Amino acid sequence: MVISRQISGKIRSARYLVEAFLLPFYFLLPWLRWGEHPLIRLDIPGRKFYLLGNIFTPQEGFYLHLFLIGMGLSLFFFTTLIGRVWCGWACPQTVFTDLFDLIGRTVLGSKYGKKDAPLFGKVLVHKLWILVSILGALAWVSYFADPYEMISDIRSASFFAAPPTWIYFVLFFTMTLYLDMAFVREQFCKYACPYARFQTVMMDADSVNVTYDYKRGEPRRKAGTQVGDCTACNLCLVVCPTGIDIREGVNVGCIACGKCVDACTKTMGKEGKKTLIGYMSENQANQPGAKIRWIRPRSIVYGVLLFGVAIVSSVLLYNRVPLYANVLPDRIIQPMEIPGGIVRNFYNAQILNMTFQNRNLNVSVEESTLHSPVRILLGGTEVPSISIQQNSSQDFRIILEAEIKEEDLRKTSHQITLKVGDAENKNYVLKKTIPFRIPIQDRN
């Protein structure tokens, strides 16, 4: 594991500001409420996702698909333009590495990362790391379980006698975070992170990334003889959190954190020269004074696809009705004819109210291919209405009956469109098309 040397500079200060926002955001977000409900939570046992006062269910899985496609295209688009900015500035691996390093340097000072560090200090550092790992694991699990209920469980007298399920996940993620930060770190970035594996495919000569100006820097100073501007101080190497040498070119281990930029800026400043390492494209390093081509075929393709996904997602969300209805023909009771030439069809229905308001829903026939009116019996009554509590579902039976005309016998099945809606909210309406089948004896 690499313990990089501390360095100060403009980029390091800017990253501290970003991390000062990201860490509280990560730890506090699960505690925030939208009214009396979670701002964000993935309730796996309840099969619901809460986000900004909305409830999403597995039946709306296409939103997840669009989200994942959008995240993938965002990754491609921004990597093409500005390289691995995510890795160096916002990735949890990088942010937590800086947090753990801050703890280590606060306790051990200049001895942090060295073999001759005092044993007591090392033990204290690892204890603090474990504590932070526990807090980090609790925060992560809070995105899936109610943090207020977790606190209540901890205060409960039966916590140790009958521990809740979430405690096992906290223990697992605590161990994972601690082992990662204490023993793995840069090895994950180099060998396990898929982003690092395919970054070279997404980047080109015009992508902005941490780059070494080899034309000015090479050949490096050697034995007191200097031809290029590089003094061979190797400070860029010792401050790198992944232990790579940026002077060797674009490397899979480079996370674009900019620590080598601050290091080279400080060294070159003593020489009265401009830094050799900076955020620039490969073309700018090869051709000093060249401008970055932000608009190019690759960025256009990624940008258009990302914009298209954003438009489709926005339209779907704008027109979304937080109501789910599943109406299926009864598999046990087949369509039947009753006296008077009337045919009955039986259906099992489930309606899910995906809002935080109680709803009184009316069920009516919107369209029908039958030549006679369709009558609805809902839940065994002739009143086609149902009351559903907030954030809940209800199962009931629907019976449709209609007098069959001679023209209706030409088809074995007809289409009926049901309209389910709240009388008090015209926008809370859902339409469902179901089959209405004619019994075999009637067709004969």
Side-chain angles (χ1 to χ4, degrees):
M1 184 183 74
V2 174
I3 300 294
S4 60
R5 183 184 299 181
Q6 188 178 15
I7 191 69
S8 59
K10 292 183 178 180
I11 295 177
R12 175 66 271 186
S13 299
R15 287 182 55 227
Y16 275 142
L17 291 176
V18 173
E19 291 169 354
F21 166 77
L22 291 177
L23 281 172
F25 181 82
Y26 167 73
F27 281 100
L28 298 179
L29 187 60
W31 295 84
L32 301 181
R33 288 290 186 270
W34 188 281
E36 298 180 355
H37 310 285
L39 183 67
I40 179 172
R41 180 177 305 143
L42 178 58
D43 183 4
I44 296 178
R47 298 180 181 180
K48 294 175 183 177
F49 178 55
Y50 301 90
L51 180 65
L52 301 176
N54 296 288
I55 306 173
F56 296 90
T57 64
Q59 289 80 7
E60 299 176 299
F62 55 89
Y63 287 112
L64 175 62
H65 298 156
L66 289 171
F67 173 77
L68 294 176
I69 293 172
M71 290 297 99
L73 290 174
S74 298
L75 180 69
F76 300 159
F77 178 68
F78 289 107
T79 300
T80 297
L81 295 179
I82 51 180
R84 295 180 64 178
V85 64
W86 161 261
C87 293
W89 290 74
C91 177
Q93 179 80 6
T94 302
V95 175
F96 273 95
T97 295
D98 288 340
L99 176 61
F100 277 62
D101 279 345
L102 177 63
I103 295 173
R105 290 193 175 94
T106 301
V107 175
L108 296 175
S110 61
K111 293 294 183 179
Y112 175 60
K114 296 181 180 179
K115 294 182 179 180
D116 60 344
L119 179 60
F120 174 79
K122 289 182 179 180
V123 172
L124 179 58
V125 166
H126 280 269
K127 286 184 177 181
L128 293 175
W129 282 356
I130 293 174
L131 176 60
V132 174
S133 298
I134 294 174
L135 296 177
L138 284 169
W140 174 244
V141 174
S142 296
Y143 285 88
F144 303 89
D146 190 337
Y148 294 95
E149 291 183 3
M150 292 167 63
I151 295 298
S152 178
D153 290 339
I154 293 174
R155 293 177 176 177
S156 174
S158 60
F159 178 73
F160 293 101
T165 304
W166 59 262
I167 192 63
Y168 300 106
F169 289 93
V170 169
L171 293 175
F172 171 77
F173 288 116
T174 297
M175 179 185 65
T176 302
L177 181 56
Y178 170 71
L179 292 178
D180 180 22
M181 292 293 103
F183 304 103
V184 180
R185 290 204 188 180
E186 80 286 346
Q187 304 303 317
F188 178 85
C189 299
K190 288 183 177 180
Y191 305 112
C193 179
Y195 185 21
R197 296 292 96 191
F198 56 75
Q199 62 151 337
T200 53
V201 178
M202 296 182 291
M203 294 171 58
D204 55 29
D206 288 296
S207 300
V208 176
N209 201 34
V210 174
T211 307
Y212 171 63
D213 189 350
Y214 67 93
K215 282 196 170 183
R216 283 181 48 218
E218 301 296 326
R220 307 169 198 172
R221 178 180 296 177
K222 186 176 182 180
T225 302
Q226 181 177 1
V227 179
D229 286 346
C230 181
T231 62
C233 67
N234 292 331
L235 189 58
C236 58
L237 176 60
V238 297
V239 301
C240 179
T242 59
I244 67 165
D245 191 343
I246 192 63
R247 295 169 297 183
E248 296 177 357
V250 177
N251 193 298
V252 70
C254 177
I255 60 173
C257 65
K259 292 183 70 176
C260 56
V261 179
D262 285 333
C264 192
T265 300
K266 181 175 293 188
T267 299
M268 287 293 100
K270 298 177 182 178
E271 302 279 335
K273 299 177 181 179
K274 183 182 177 181
T275 179
L276 296 170
I277 306 174
Y279 285 98
M280 55 185 169
S281 67
E282 184 179 342
N283 283 338
Q284 287 180 308
N286 294 331
Q287 303 173 10
K291 295 183 178 180
I292 300 173
R293 291 193 310 125
W294 298 108
I295 302 176
R296 50 191 192 272
R298 182 177 298 192
S299 62
I300 291 175
V301 171
Y302 291 151
V304 169
L305 291 175
L306 180 59
F307 182 75
V309 172
I311 291 297
V312 171
S313 302
S314 300
V315 171
L316 288 175
L317 287 172
Y318 179 79
N319 295 317
R320 174 180 180 262
V321 178
L323 174 68
Y324 172 75
N326 185 29
V327 183
L328 298 174
D330 195 308
R331 295 184 179 182
I332 300 177
I333 305 178
Q334 297 299 312
M336 64 177 61
E337 182 181 4
I338 61 176
I342 297 174
V343 171
R344 277 185 175 179
N345 273 226
F346 301 84
Y347 305 86
N348 293 319
Q350 180 189 50
I351 292 183
L352 174 61
N353 177 12
M354 296 183 291
T355 67
F356 295 110
Q357 299 177 10
N358 298 333
R359 298 284 183 178
N360 294 317
L361 303 179
N362 296 326
V363 182
S364 60
V365 175
E366 179 77 6
E367 295 179 358
S368 172
T369 59
L370 294 169
H371 292 78
S372 58
V374 179
R375 182 184 177 204
I376 301 178
L377 301 176
L378 186 63
T381 67
E382 297 185 6
V383 180
S385 64
I386 184 174
S387 298
I388 301 182
Q389 298 296 313
Q390 61 172 327
N391 190 18
S392 64
S393 64
Q394 186 169 338
D395 298 328
F396 55 92
R397 169 161 293 195
I398 295 178
I399 300 176
L400 300 181
E401 59 180 35
E403 182 180 352
I404 300 302
K405 304 296 184 180
E406 187 68 27
E407 298 87 347
D408 298 328
L409 296 177
R410 298 173 184 175
K411 294 182 179 180
T412 61
S413 178
H414 292 265
Q415 299 295 318
I416 294 179
T417 301
L418 295 180
K419 178 181 178 181
V420 183
D422 189 342
E424 299 178 358
N425 187 348
K426 296 181 179 180
N427 296 323
Y428 195 80
V429 176
L430 183 67
K431 296 180 180 181
K432 193 76 174 179
T433 301
I434 59 176
F436 186 91
R437 295 178 293 172
I438 306 299
I440 296 177
Q441 59 268 26
D442 285 355
R443 298 199 298 268
N444 295 333

